[in-house]
Amino acid sequence: MTTEISRSGPMFNQNRFKLGIFGLNCSYGCTISHAATTFEPTFEHNVKIAKLADNLGWEFLLPVGRWRHFGGTTQFNGTNLEVYTWAAAISCHTEKIAVFATSHVPTVHPIFAAKQSATIDNISNGRFGINVICGWFKPEMEMFGVKQLEHDERYVMADEWMTCMKRMWTEQDFDHAGKYYNIDQGFLLPKPVQKPHPVVINAGSSPAGIEFSARHADYNVLSITSLESAASKVDNIRLQAAEYDRRCGTLSYALVCCADTEKEAKALYQRIIDEGDWGATNTIIELMLGQNFSYGSNSDEIRAMGERFIAGWGGLPLVGTPEQIVEQMLKLSDMGVEGLAISWLDYHEELKYFGEKVMPLMREAGLRQ
Ligand SMILES: Cc1cc2nc3c(=O)[nH]c(=O)nc-3n(C[C@H](O)[C@H](O)[C@H](O)COP(=O)(O)O)c2cc1C
């Protein structure tokens, strides 16, 4: 039982397994690889992908919040479109799909973030969502001239940021005096279209991150390293949210390599790995291991981790025929995962294929209406 107001909008529709697109605003998307693709991180190309997803009835578009590249030969993700302006503009080219901004807490004051969010929610008529992130990429955060906070303290700041955001969205003329923010007579009009506020997601996976999701998010975007390990993580999030008398659902993210035959799908995956940029990948791994990510020092384990980053930003790669992809989605769904933010090597072309070959099977399997 929760006391939350029932929510509306694409992220709360009847589809058992929601579909979104991840990382399309950044160069190389979610593949740290030189493998050939028609994908370009331009606004024009993003609109083409967004319109196709909208026409196919997909639920959401999730950009990556990025301020600088990760080096290597790709300068991975270095060219990218700023997320709030991107969301506002993309929403004008689409009709039904939810459009997220992925916002770093330390880079934007909550009054400004709440105002932008409310404005985009009005522009899009209730289709805006916010993915709240704390900023783990030290050189990127320190580019702003401030020292990065320790890991768990970032979530203390995020908790206060989110509290201010929610008050801006739902109250008027309130005062807030906290550790990181002081708001004197907080005022915001127009309020967001969505009630009580735009959909909030978070991808924290540490205990502090999960706690943040449980307190504030409508969905946690789980990092899943194996199909077997997902169920207990989903339960954990649900139970923690219930302690706050709330519901927090679970999404995850994945690179999809799908083709008519398993051999072709595997070859596509292998092409991404073979053309991988280990320079940028190693930078990411070093930064993450430096932050006590739960990996040992075993080189096979680190290599496997690197391959997961090269092919899908650390998510679970789904590789196979349309039937095999749907089988894997069914497994995730049975474990309580309610949808995926998907990336591909070639977003537009592979989304088109997914719409033709995978979506009908998802409907047959009862994953979508
Ligand atoms: C689906 C997904 C999207 C994410 N998007 C971003 C992003 O755009 N920018 C960023 O700096 N971090 C991003 N992250 C990193 C998370 O915010 C988070 O720091 C990470 O998952 C580690 O969890 P923790 O903060 O609980 O340690 C993302 C993670 C996931 C799983």
Side-chain angles (χ1 to χ4, degrees):
M1 245 266 298
T2 71
T3 54
E4 297 250 306
I5 297 174
S6 74
R7 312 292 301 270
S8 58
M11 296 305 288
F12 304 96
N13 70 14
Q14 292 303 307
N15 279 329
R16 184 172 138 201
F17 202 78
K18 310 219 179 321
L19 291 172
I21 302 185
F22 182 37
L24 67 163
N25 64 316
C26 294
S27 51
Y28 297 93
C30 296
T31 45
I32 316 175
S33 173
H34 290 284
T37 172
T38 68
F39 171 70
E40 291 172 44
T42 60
F43 184 65
E44 194 185 4
H45 191 65
N46 272 214
V47 167
K48 193 171 155 189
I49 297 165
K51 282 186 160 175
L52 179 55
D54 200 26
N55 288 334
L56 289 169
W58 282 43
E59 275 77 23
F60 66 106
L61 299 167
L62 179 61
V64 165
R66 188 90 297 134
W67 299 93
R68 63 181 309 132
H69 64 81
F70 294 99
T73 47
T74 52
Q75 299 216 320
F76 179 59
N77 278 184
T79 299
N80 64 78
L81 298 167
E82 190 282 322
V83 289
Y84 286 98
T85 39
W86 177 88
I90 288 281
S91 75
C92 296
H93 289 273
T94 50
E95 287 171 12
K96 305 178 295 275
I97 197 163
V99 187
F100 279 83
T102 296
S103 185
H104 284 87
V105 165
T107 62
V108 52
H109 192 282
I111 294 180
F112 197 47
K115 186 78 179 161
Q116 291 180 115
S117 303
T119 301
I120 305 170
D121 206 43
N122 277 267
I123 291 171
S124 63
N125 194 22
R127 290 186 287 125
F128 179 70
I130 187 159
N131 177 23
V132 181
I133 50 166
C134 295
W136 60 272
F137 180 20
K138 198 162 182 262
E140 178 176 68
M141 290 299 97
E142 296 195 345
M143 186 172 102
F144 285 80
V146 282
K147 238 188 138 22
Q148 193 185 36
L149 296 173
E150 288 305 314
H151 181 278
D152 287 6
E153 187 60 23
R154 289 177 223 154
Y155 280 101
V156 173
M157 186 183 190
D159 181 59
E160 192 182 338
W161 190 85
M162 202 64 242
T163 300
C164 293
M165 292 277 279
K166 287 182 173 173
R167 294 193 74 181
M168 291 298 293
W169 285 333
T170 58
E171 296 179 33
Q172 211 67 300
D173 299 321
F174 70 91
D175 293 334
H176 170 88
K179 184 171 179 187
Y180 290 101
Y181 304 104
N182 288 308
I183 298 179
D184 185 13
Q185 292 287 290
F187 177 90
L188 184 137
L189 280 177
K191 294 294 188 201
V193 170
Q194 291 173 77
K195 300 296 173 214
H197 53 68
V199 53
V200 174
I201 66 172
N202 164 258
S205 55
S206 60
I210 298 293
E211 169 77 9
F212 177 86
S213 280
R215 277 171 61 78
H216 292 294
D218 294 299
Y219 291 98
N220 175 272
V221 193
L222 257 189
S223 293
I224 297 177
T225 47
S226 73
L227 281 176
E228 294 66 38
S229 65
S232 62
K233 291 184 176 179
V234 174
D235 285 347
N236 179 34
I237 291 163
R238 188 175 45 78
L239 291 172
Q240 285 205 40
E243 281 176 25
Y244 296 104
D245 215 5
R246 306 184 62 251
R247 180 182 192 282
C248 180
T250 303
L251 305 168
S252 189
Y253 69 110
L255 176 89
V256 168
C257 293
C258 185
D260 290 349
T261 64
E262 190 178 333
K263 194 170 165 211
E264 284 171 283
K266 283 187 169 162
L268 170 59
Y269 176 80
Q270 199 51 49
R271 203 158 66 239
I272 295 168
I273 300 294
D274 291 346
E275 302 269 342
D277 169 8
W278 281 94
T281 306
N282 286 334
T283 303
I284 292 171
I285 291 177
E286 276 164 29
L287 281 157
M288 289 194 163
L289 292 180
Q291 302 195 45
N292 300 322
F293 271 66
S294 55
Y295 292 89
S297 54
N298 176 314
S299 61
D300 286 346
E301 197 181 2
I302 291 184
R303 185 166 181 93
M305 182 186 180
E307 292 195 358
R308 273 209 315 280
F309 274 90
I310 287 173
W313 240 130
L316 182 71
L318 299 185
V319 183
T321 62
E323 289 78 8
Q324 289 170 322
I325 299 293
V326 173
E327 246 169 62
Q328 294 174 83
M329 287 179 168
L330 264 173
K331 276 192 192 153
L332 287 170
S333 175
D334 289 344
M335 289 176 197
V337 176
E338 293 165 68
L340 277 181
I342 293 178
S343 62
W344 300 269
L345 172 64
D346 200 329
Y347 285 82
H348 185 267
E349 295 313 298
E350 293 183 69
L351 170 60
K352 204 159 70 183
Y353 178 85
F354 196 104
E356 285 163 13
K357 301 282 181 74
V358 183
M359 288 186 72
L361 300 180
M362 289 184 78
R363 283 191 278 273
E364 269 174 38
L367 287 172
R368 298 181 63 81
Q369 294 178 342

